[in-house]
Structures are given as C-alpha cells and as structure tokens.
C-alpha cells in the first residue's frame, strides 16, 4: 500500500493537466482521408504549405495551401521517366525546400536497378517544374539476399542528405556488391541551384578494406561534405576493422580520411550525423548492435545495442570526445514518476541540436514480434512501441535533464532503427510483409518532438482511458487501432510535465487523432503542421491543422 501511495504521489507531483491550453490552431477545410501510402506535409518560407500523397496508380497528388490556410491548387504529378504504377513499392528518399521550391527525391527499381529521380515542384501551383534522373545502382547482385541475411552485408541504397543551414545537399549511391572495393560508394555534392559541386568515388583508404558499410554523412554548404563508413575484411577476428571519418572539399576528387581507433562495436551501425556550427564540431550519434541471442524453445531474440555520441573536429577529422548515451536521467525520472522498479530501456531514434548549443536525444522503447507458421514462413510481424525518453545534453555531451513518458502502441510491421530521424527528412519506405505491400496504422504511431521558442513538447496518439490512468504501465492499454484515440501533448518543464489534449477534450462519440508520419515542424516560423482525422460517431473528416506553440 505504501508503494502505491508513493507512486501516486509522484505521478501527481510530476504531471499536471492543462485544461485550457491556449495555442493558436488553424484548420483547413475537410477532405477525404487518403488511401494508405506516403502522406507528407512541407511548410515553405513563402508561407505556403504543400501536402503530398503517393500511393495510387494515377500519380503523386499535390495540394497547395496559402498563408490563410485556403487550398489554392491541387495537381496530380505523372511522368514519362518514373512509373506512377510503382508508387506503392517506391522509396521516397527525401523531401526538402531547396531554392524556394519543394524538391522530392524518388527512388524506383527500373528492372531491378534502383534509380533516383529529382522532382522540382512549383511552390504556388504544385506543378512539376522539372524532373531529372540523378543516377542508378546496378541490378540486384546474384545471391544478394543471402549475403544480406547471412553475410552481414548491407543492402544497396540511395541516400539524400541536405544541409539544414543552406540549400546544398548530397546524394550517396551505396553499392555494397561492387567487385571493385573503390566503386562501392559514389558521392555527388550539389549546390542550391542543383549544379554539381563534386562527383567522386569513395576509395577504401589505402585499399585496406575489402568491405565498406555506409554509416552517415553531413553537408557543409557548398564548401565540403563529410561521410563516415565502417571498413572491414570479413573475418571474425578482423582486428584491422575501423570506423573511417572522411571529408571531400569542393574542387577535390579524393577524400581525406582518418581511421578511428574504436572498431569492434560498429559492425551493424545506424547513425544521425549533424554539424554543430555553434561549436564547430560534428556530432555523430551511433546505434550499434553488440550482441544478439535467441532462446531455443521460445524463439525470443534479445538484441543489445551500444549508443555513442562522438564529437569530431571537422578540420582535422580527429575525435575530440566520445560519450556513451545511457539516459541515466531518464531512468531516474522513470523511477521517481512511473515506478521505482521500472527500468527504462529505450533506444535513440533522433538527435536535435538546439539554438542554445545543447543537444536533445530522443528515445523510444520498442519490441518486435515475428510469427511463423509450421513451415517456418513469416505470417505476421509487429512492433510494440513503448515509453518515450528525452535526454538533454550540454555542449560536452553530459546529461543535464531527462524525462520519461509512458506509452503503449502496436504497429503492424517491423519498425526500422532511427525511424524518427528518417521521417524528419521525408524518407518513406513502403512496408512489405510476406512479399506484399500492405496497409497498416504505422502512420499514426510513435511520437513527435517540438522544440518551440519557449517550450519543448512531445506529441502522440493515445486512448483517452490511458490519459486518465497516469503513468502506471500496468494499467495502460495497448493502442493498436487509432479510431478511438486522441492526440495528446506533453509540455516538458523543470522537473515536471504538463499534459493536455492538443485538439480539445474528447467524448464517447468523437475523437481527433493525427498522422504523426505526415507532420512537419518549421522552427523558423514556429509552426507545426499535421494531417488530422476528426471522428464524430462513424463519420470521419480529414483536415490539415497548423499549431503555433509557445
């Protein structure tokens, strides 16, 4: 009984409900809910907002809203280059505003050869200004699937990285199966007018590594770009394996390399790589698989990951500091405000560099479940998304504050690592289950983080019953269907969290929830735009909502 009262007191002390939160919210006129597929919003510097939808066989739908939130244009983009009939199986490699235009990067497999298309879109009308082929990868290699599954090889991929401080960007073509080890990575650097600054092959330093894995990259305007890789030779006792930090300056054709001393933990690594111009350091957040164990009788697999935040001098490429990201403050907050016996176990999903030179690492608990039939064939895949964790770090990587927020959601597929980071760039990979692309509720799952001028907020969809139960994990229901959910917002304060329904108090006959995947926060104008669904009994209406936070 004493434990129950302790937990209840902590919950009441750390969470207060804002019953009359005064945010400025605008909504568009209603429209039909889009079919399953890619739905994304981008807010432009000229005040217009574009909503893009790609899934059907007719083309890419583009809807333009002006500053007054009125729809001023609606177009469907088609092409003689890419195939609109393949949109359900196409990858969106990025969506950015470049030189005042929304620019969509679309990757399609043309006869099993992935090809990247650049689509420049008119910011006022939604018309296609120009489309171009930027490059292709070779056709799938023989036994490629076998090498990925059993040989720890990375699949071929096309990555687009834009500099957040300019209109410059880079395209990385990763061909893990190239016979020549010096032709596995091609990097093309573009300026804000889409002119090529540099086009170079990434050579294995000194030809020392038979295999290269792509880890991450960052663009520094039109001056240079940086890339990190993992070089190894395919041996279990490969002591020569290294993480490699490289730079390519404008006008040069050869990369400058630095081989880092730590190596073993970077075999299977995903990353977020950002350039902090405030202290002139590159920040590399890495998530690396260190062990994987499967129980024989249950088939349950437990994976262990190591997370590091590495600071790199962009001039010398030397490491200036390395800090493990363990979220100790998150754990302390969870013990005090959720349950003294609850140990937070989230993995980083995104990193944000703030204007005050601090860094925020966003984490989320996740557990995957794969069901097979008697023949060993996969028949179902799920991802259980749990509590949110927020770590706020100072300019040396030391954790200043941490927060934990309870959440239980179930998605109908396996969520990739660093999902939130990819989503922030507009990246979208269709969910494939058992060889087929299937509709699901994933667009509504996970969470969003908004760092507004005067406050920090976490947003996700949840059941109203969970809202009333506080943070006790044992009493919360898992949200697997969104029709009864509502969008809840949490404001992070000094040692406490305020929570409220973002779009108003629900009742038994109505609810409002949002497409988390579609959302866009423009920090320059402090505007958060998302697609919402307003349900009244069995009737649903979809709108675009714009929220101005404090």
């Amino acid at each position: 009984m004493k434990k129950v009262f302790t937990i209840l007191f902590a919950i009441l002390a750390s969470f207060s409900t804002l019953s009359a939160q005064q945010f400025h919210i605008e909504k568009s006129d209603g429209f039909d809910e889009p079919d399953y597929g890619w739905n994304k919003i981008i807010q432009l510097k000229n005040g217009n907002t574009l909503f893009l939808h790609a899934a059907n066989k007719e083309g890419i739908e583009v809807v333009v809203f002006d500053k007054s939130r009125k729809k001023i244009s609606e177009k469907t983009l088609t092409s003689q280059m890419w195939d609109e009939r393949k949109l359900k199986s196409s990858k969106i490699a990025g969506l950015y505003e470049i030189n005042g235009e929304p620019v969509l990067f679309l990757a399609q497999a043309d006869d099993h050869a992935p090809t990247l298309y650049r689509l420049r879109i008119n910011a006022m009308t939604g018309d296609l200004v120009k489309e171009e082929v930027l490059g292709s990868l070779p056709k799938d290699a023989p036994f490629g699937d076998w090498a990925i599954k059993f040989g720890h090889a990375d699949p071929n991929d096309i990555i687009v990285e834009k500099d957040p401080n300019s209109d410059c960007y880079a395209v990385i073509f990763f061909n893990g199966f190239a016979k020549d080890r010096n032709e596995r990575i091609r990097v093309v650097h573009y300026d804000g007018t889409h002119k090529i600054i540099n086009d170079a092959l990434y050579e294995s330093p000194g030809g020392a590594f038979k295999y290269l894995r792509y880890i991450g990259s960052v663009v520094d305007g039109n001056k240079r770009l940086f890339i990190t890789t993992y070089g190894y030779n395919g041996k279990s006792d490969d002591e020569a394996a290294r993480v490699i930090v490289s730079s390519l300056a404008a006008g040069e054709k050869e990369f400058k390399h630095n081989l880092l001393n730590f190596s073993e933990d970077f075999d299977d690594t995903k990353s977020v790589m950002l350039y902090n111009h405030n202290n002139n350091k590159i920040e590399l957040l890495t998530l690396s698989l260190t062990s994987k164990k499967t129980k024989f009788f249950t088939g349950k697999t437990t994976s262990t990951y190591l997370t590091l935040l590495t600071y790199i001098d962009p001039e010398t490429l030397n490491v200036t500091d390395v800090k493990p990201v363990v979220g100790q403050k998150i754990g302390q907050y969870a013990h005090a405000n959720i349950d003294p016996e609850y140990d937070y176990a989230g993995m980083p999903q995104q990193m944000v560099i703030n204007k005050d030179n601090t860094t925020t690492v966003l984490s989320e608990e996740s557990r995957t479940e794969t069901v097979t039939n008697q023949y060993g064939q996969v028949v179902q895949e799920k991802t259980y998304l749990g509590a949110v964790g927020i770590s706020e770090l100072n300019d040396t990587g030391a954790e200043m504050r941490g927060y934990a927020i309870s959440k239980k959601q179930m998605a109908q597929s396996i969520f990739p690592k660093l999902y939130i980071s990819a989503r922030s760039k507009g990246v979208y990979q269709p969910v494939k289950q058992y060889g087929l692309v299937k509709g699901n509720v994933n667009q509504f799952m996970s969470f969003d983080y908004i760092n507004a001028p005067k406050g920090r907020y976490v947003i996700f969809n949840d059941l109203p019953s969970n809202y009333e139960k506080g943070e006790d994990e044992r009493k919360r229901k898992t949200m697997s269907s969104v029709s009864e959910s509502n969008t809840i917002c949490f404001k992070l304060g000094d040692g406490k969290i305020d929570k409220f329904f973002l779009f108003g108090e629900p009742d038994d006959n109505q609810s409002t929830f949002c497409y988390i995947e579609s959302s866009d926060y423009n920090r320059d104008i402090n505007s958060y735009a998302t697609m919402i669904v307003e349900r009244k009994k069995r009737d649903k209406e979809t709108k675009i909502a714009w929220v101005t936070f404090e």
Side-chain angles (χ1 to χ4, degrees):
M1 182 64 69
K2 183 178 179 181
K3 177 182 176 181
V4 172
F5 278 113
T6 300
I7 296 173
L8 180 60
F9 178 81
I11 291 170
L12 294 175
S14 66
F15 277 82
S16 61
T17 301
L18 300 185
S19 57
Q21 189 72 30
Q22 297 299 316
F23 290 141
H24 183 55
I25 299 178
E26 302 171 274
K27 298 179 183 179
S28 71
D29 293 334
F31 54 91
D32 293 334
E33 186 175 358
D35 296 331
Y36 164 72
W38 180 65
N39 299 292
K40 190 63 180 176
I41 295 168
I42 181 170
Q43 300 180 90
L44 305 179
K45 295 176 183 177
N46 69 357
N48 286 359
T49 299
L50 274 73
F51 168 67
L52 294 90
H53 171 71
N56 59 39
K57 297 180 180 180
E58 283 72 38
I60 300 173
E61 299 173 15
V62 181
V63 183
V64 184
F65 299 89
D66 64 13
K67 295 180 181 179
S68 66
R69 314 312 188 192
K70 299 297 183 183
K71 182 172 71 174
I72 58 174
S73 181
E74 185 172 2
K75 298 292 172 63
T76 300
L77 307 182
T78 58
S79 174
Q80 296 298 318
M81 292 185 176
W82 47 272
D83 191 345
E84 56 266 18
R85 296 170 299 177
K86 295 181 179 180
L87 285 175
K88 281 189 175 182
S89 59
S90 300
K91 174 187 175 180
I92 305 297
L95 173 65
Y96 303 101
E97 178 178 2
I98 300 175
N99 198 22
E101 296 174 336
V103 180
L104 176 65
F105 296 91
L106 174 70
Q108 283 191 340
D110 183 10
D111 192 23
H112 299 286
T115 301
L116 182 68
Y117 303 89
R118 181 178 61 207
L119 283 63
R120 294 169 49 195
I121 301 172
N122 187 292
M124 299 298 297
T125 66
D127 288 313
L128 190 60
V129 176
K130 189 175 183 180
E131 58 181 350
E132 294 176 272
V133 176
L134 298 189
S136 299
L137 290 172
K139 294 181 181 181
D140 295 340
F143 309 109
D145 291 340
W146 183 92
I148 293 169
K149 186 174 182 179
F150 300 105
H152 305 291
D154 283 344
N156 288 352
D157 201 4
I158 301 174
I159 303 100
V160 179
E161 289 287 353
K162 180 183 174 297
D163 175 19
N165 299 303
S166 73
D167 285 333
C168 301
Y169 61 97
V171 177
I172 297 94
F173 296 91
F174 177 75
N175 177 16
F177 302 107
K179 292 182 179 180
D180 188 337
R181 66 186 66 184
N182 294 326
E183 294 182 357
R184 296 216 168 96
I185 301 176
R186 175 190 170 207
V187 181
V188 188
H189 187 186
Y190 293 88
D191 69 10
T193 64
H194 308 290
K195 293 181 180 178
I196 295 178
I197 298 172
N198 223 329
D199 187 346
L201 291 174
Y202 181 93
E203 295 187 356
S204 173
F209 303 107
K210 182 178 180 181
Y211 303 107
L212 291 170
R213 291 181 182 272
Y214 171 81
I215 293 180
S217 59
V218 66
V219 178
D220 181 19
N222 59 4
K223 298 186 299 182
R224 54 189 174 176
L225 57 82
F226 302 87
I227 184 171
T228 53
T229 61
Y230 178 77
Y232 64 108
N233 290 303
K235 301 176 183 178
S236 59
D237 58 346
D238 190 357
E239 296 181 357
R242 287 289 183 270
V243 170
I244 309 161
V245 181
S246 310
S247 64
L248 179 67
E252 297 183 359
K253 287 301 178 184
E254 293 185 1
F255 283 83
K256 175 184 176 182
H257 302 290
N258 184 29
L259 279 63
L260 307 185
N261 290 328
F262 44 89
S263 61
E264 292 82 5
D265 294 323
F266 285 80
D267 186 20
D268 181 6
T269 297
K270 302 294 184 291
S271 80
V272 180
M273 190 173 180
L274 302 174
Y275 195 151
N276 188 344
H277 288 273
N278 296 326
N279 58 14
N280 196 34
K281 295 286 176 63
I282 294 174
E283 297 186 23
L284 177 66
L285 177 72
T286 51
L287 183 66
S288 304
L289 179 66
T290 57
S291 65
K292 193 172 185 179
K293 298 180 180 179
T294 302
K295 292 185 178 180
F296 179 77
F297 291 103
T298 64
K300 182 179 179 181
T301 300
T302 301
S303 300
T304 304
Y305 289 85
L306 171 68
T307 303
L308 296 176
L309 180 54
T310 304
Y311 293 86
I312 301 169
D313 184 334
E315 310 307 327
T316 64
L317 304 182
N318 291 330
V319 172
T320 61
D321 204 356
V322 180
K323 293 286 178 65
V325 181
V326 296
Q328 183 177 0
K329 300 281 187 184
I330 298 177
Q332 293 173 357
Y333 190 95
H335 288 157
N337 301 295
I338 297 179
D339 190 325
E341 298 179 1
Y342 169 59
D343 293 326
Y344 183 76
M347 290 193 301
Q349 292 291 340
Q350 172 65 309
M351 178 173 66
V352 179
I353 295 178
N354 305 310
K355 290 185 177 180
D356 62 357
N357 208 29
T358 61
T359 299
T360 300
V361 176
L362 308 176
S363 301
E364 187 173 30
E365 291 185 330
S366 66
R367 175 177 62 86
T368 61
E369 181 181 286
T370 301
V371 180
T372 58
N373 60 21
Q374 58 181 333
Y375 304 106
Q377 298 170 322
V378 175
V379 296
Q380 192 176 50
E381 292 179 325
K382 298 178 181 179
T383 299
Y384 292 88
L385 299 169
V388 175
I390 303 99
S391 286
E392 296 179 350
L393 315 176
N394 65 15
D395 57 356
T396 64
E399 191 177 23
M400 302 181 298
R401 289 175 295 273
Y403 301 88
I405 304 174
S406 289
K407 177 171 66 67
K408 284 186 176 180
Q409 299 171 334
M410 185 184 74
Q412 297 293 335
S413 68
I414 302 298
F415 265 44
K417 301 297 181 292
L418 297 173
Y419 162 79
I420 297 176
S421 174
R423 188 186 68 200
S424 68
K425 304 170 187 176
V427 175
Y428 173 78
Q429 188 77 50
V431 175
K432 292 186 178 182
Q433 289 183 313
Y434 337 123
L436 299 175
V437 177
K438 293 192 173 184
N440 55 69
V441 296
N442 292 0
Q443 303 100 319
F444 303 93
M445 300 301 181
S446 194
F447 70 98
D448 249 341
Y449 172 80
I450 297 98
N451 188 1
K454 297 182 180 180
R456 296 149 296 153
Y457 304 86
V458 171
I459 293 173
F460 58 80
N461 297 313
D462 204 354
L463 302 173
S465 59
N466 287 336
Y467 180 91
E468 299 167 359
K469 290 175 182 177
E471 291 298 286
D472 194 336
E473 284 282 318
R474 297 164 298 181
K475 296 181 180 180
R476 299 179 72 85
K477 293 182 179 179
T478 299
M479 189 190 79
S480 57
S481 175
V482 298
S483 60
E484 303 294 329
S485 71
N486 286 268
T487 303
I488 301 176
C489 186
F490 300 79
K491 182 178 181 180
L492 309 183
D494 187 10
K496 67 183 183 71
I497 299 177
D498 297 324
K499 67 177 181 178
F500 51 94
F501 290 102
L502 184 58
F503 300 109
E505 296 280 342
D507 60 35
D508 293 338
N509 296 317
Q510 67 178 29
S511 62
T512 303
F513 47 93
C514 72
Y515 278 70
I516 292 290
E517 191 171 74
S518 73
S519 306
D520 174 51
Y521 176 64
N522 189 317
R523 195 188 322 193
D524 294 332
I525 60 176
N526 185 28
S527 177
Y528 178 78
T530 185
M531 185 167 63
I532 63 172
V533 177
E534 295 180 335
R535 180 189 64 84
K536 294 182 179 179
K537 295 183 179 179
R538 295 186 178 181
D539 297 328
K540 294 181 180 179
E541 191 172 33
T542 306
K543 300 177 180 179
I544 304 298
W546 293 262
V547 183
T548 302
F549 288 95
E550 293 182 343

